[in-house]
Amino acid sequence: MRHFLSAADLTRDTALGLFALAADLKQRRKAGRHSEPLAAKTVALIFEKASLRTRVTFEVGVIQLGGRAVHLVGRDIGLGTRESVPDVARNLSLWVDGIMARVYSHATITALARHATVPVINGLSDLEHPCQALADFFTLWERGVDFGTMRLAWIGDGNNVCHSVMILGALLGASIVVACPPGYEPDAGVQATVRRLGGRLEITEDARAAVTGADVLYTDVWTSMGQEAEHEQRLEAFSRYQLNETLVEFAKPSALVMHCLPAHRGEEITDAVLDGKRSIVLEQAENRLHAQKAVMLRLLGGSVDDV
Ligand code: CP
Ligand code: NVA
C-alpha cells in the first residue's frame, strides 16, 4: 500500500495488521510509553471542508509519533484554482513526508496521489472516507465481533462513509445491508467493487427489514458536506429512515449503534439512540486517532520501537 485513498487499497491481511498495530499504539499511549518513530517527519493536512475529528486526530497523531503537522486550508492554497492539483502535489512532495487531504471531489485525491512522490491519505472525499471505516472496523475487532457472522445494517444515505464501510466490510467477510430511499443508493461502481470482492451485499428500501436480526446499526447524516442546497429535499426523502428507539427494537438485543459523527440529532438519529446503551460512537471517534497513527506508520515508515 503506497497511498490510502480507498478502503479497496486494503486487503483483509493489511486491515488486520493495521488493527493489531493500532491496538499496540493505543495500549502504549494508555500506559504512558512514548516513542517518536516519525521524528523529523512532516505531514501536510489539507482541508477543503470543515472537520473536528479528522483535523484533531491527524494533528495529534502526528505529534504523538514525534512528527510535525502543517495545516493547510483548501481555500488558502487554492487547490485547483490558484494552482493545479498536480502542481500542488509536486511542490508539497519537495517539503513534506506525507499528505492527508479532505476534498470535495474524489478526483482531487487521486490526482494528488498520482503526482505526489510521498504517500497520500484520503481524509474524506465525496466518494469515500476510508480512515473512518478503518477506525470503525477496528472498534468492532477490539470488541471481539466475528466479522464472518456479522450483519451490519446501514440506514440512510448511500454516501461516502457507507461506501468505505461496504468495501471494508466485504474485505473482512461481513454481510452488509443498506436501507435507503430510491435515488440515494450507494454508488454503482462501489457496489461492483464490493461484489468483485465477494462481499455479501443487499440494497433495500425497507429500513425495518434491514435492521431485523442485525448485529450493528450504522447511520450518518442525510445531507453531507457539499449537499447543503438539497437539505429540504433530503429531509423529506429520508423521513422514514431515522434510527430511533422503535426501529432499533427490530435488531438483535445485543446490537451496537454506530455513527461517524457529526450527528444531526433529531434527523437521522434520535438523542435516545445516539446516547443510549448500544451506542459506541465515542469509541469510534477515539479510535480514529489510533487507527490513523497505524496508517501513518505503515505509509511513512518507522516502527514504534524507534526512539
Ligand atoms: N467523522 C469525521 O470524519 O468527523 P469530522 O468531519 O469532524 O472530521
Ligand atoms: N457523510 C458525511 C461524513 C462526515 C464525516 C459528510 O461527507 O459530510
Side-chain angles (χ1 to χ4, degrees):
M1 185 169 75
R2 207 163 80 78
H3 303 289
F4 188 37
L5 310 182
S6 161
D9 291 332
L10 300 168
T11 62
R12 177 186 160 81
D13 286 349
T14 320
L16 293 174
L18 286 169
F19 296 162
L21 180 54
D24 184 29
L25 289 164
K26 185 172 181 175
Q27 199 258 328
R28 283 169 186 261
R29 174 86 199 143
K30 305 239 179 230
R33 280 190 287 154
H34 189 70
S35 68
E36 301 200 334
L38 294 190
K41 298 219 175 185
T42 306
V43 181
L45 308 178
I46 301 175
F47 286 91
E48 287 190 328
K49 295 173 179 171
S51 169
L52 172 68
R53 279 147 292 272
T54 306
R55 163 86 200 261
V56 176
T57 53
F58 266 103
E59 190 155 344
V60 168
V62 173
I63 293 168
Q64 288 179 2
L65 293 170
R68 299 278 175 102
V70 180
H71 181 248
L72 301 166
V73 179
R75 192 176 58 246
D76 293 348
I77 55 173
L79 198 60
T81 51
R82 181 172 182 268
E83 192 160 7
S84 76
V85 175
D87 282 345
V88 170
R90 289 183 193 110
N91 278 261
L92 277 178
S93 299
L94 303 171
W95 312 310
V96 302
D97 303 286
I99 300 168
M100 191 288 309
R102 165 165 287 195
V103 296
Y104 281 99
S105 166
H106 193 71
T108 302
I109 198 93
T110 54
L112 275 174
R114 217 168 28 252
H115 297 280
T117 55
V118 297
V120 175
I121 300 171
N122 179 0
L124 182 145
S125 67
D126 57 355
L127 190 66
E128 279 210 46
H129 197 359
C131 294
Q132 181 68 52
L134 189 73
D136 295 339
F137 280 94
F138 170 52
T139 305
L140 296 170
W141 176 87
E142 255 190 329
R143 284 177 153 263
V145 170
D146 175 4
F147 297 132
T149 59
M150 179 183 97
R151 175 179 166 90
L152 183 149
W154 178 279
I155 309 300
D157 193 15
N159 64 14
N160 45 7
V161 176
C162 176
H163 293 155
S164 295
V165 165
M166 283 165 58
I167 295 169
L168 190 49
L171 281 169
L172 294 169
S175 161
I176 311 277
V177 50
V178 178
C180 53
Y184 295 95
E185 295 88 357
D187 175 78
V190 171
Q191 290 191 44
T193 300
V194 166
R195 298 212 156 93
R196 197 178 61 243
L197 293 170
R200 288 172 292 146
L201 174 66
E202 279 171 65
I203 313 279
T204 176
E205 288 176 29
D206 188 341
R208 199 171 275 190
V211 164
T212 302
D215 302 285
V216 176
L217 313 177
Y218 202 136
T219 192
D220 183 16
V221 291
W222 293 336
T223 303
S224 285
M225 291 179 279
Q227 299 171 333
E228 289 77 7
E230 300 171 26
H231 184 61
E232 290 307 314
Q233 176 193 328
R234 284 174 168 269
L235 276 183
E236 198 179 316
F238 287 103
S239 60
R240 290 184 300 110
Y241 293 84
Q242 186 187 62
L243 200 52
N244 53 36
E245 283 173 300
T246 311
L247 190 58
V248 168
E249 276 307 303
F250 288 87
K252 284 189 181 161
S254 58
L256 300 169
V257 167
M258 302 182 83
H259 193 307
C260 57
L261 305 178
H264 291 171
R265 289 169 178 266
E267 289 186 19
E268 77 277 0
I269 193 163
T270 57
D271 287 338
V273 174
L274 190 66
D275 303 326
K277 61 182 192 311
R278 300 164 184 270
S279 172
I280 56 168
V281 301
L282 291 177
E283 287 173 42
Q284 294 173 255
E286 178 183 350
N287 282 337
R288 291 289 304 279
L289 175 69
H290 311 299
Q292 291 161 190
K293 282 168 74 176
V295 170
M296 287 191 284
L297 271 185
R298 279 283 181 269
L299 291 178
L300 274 67
S303 143
V304 274
D305 295 318
D306 295 347
V307 180

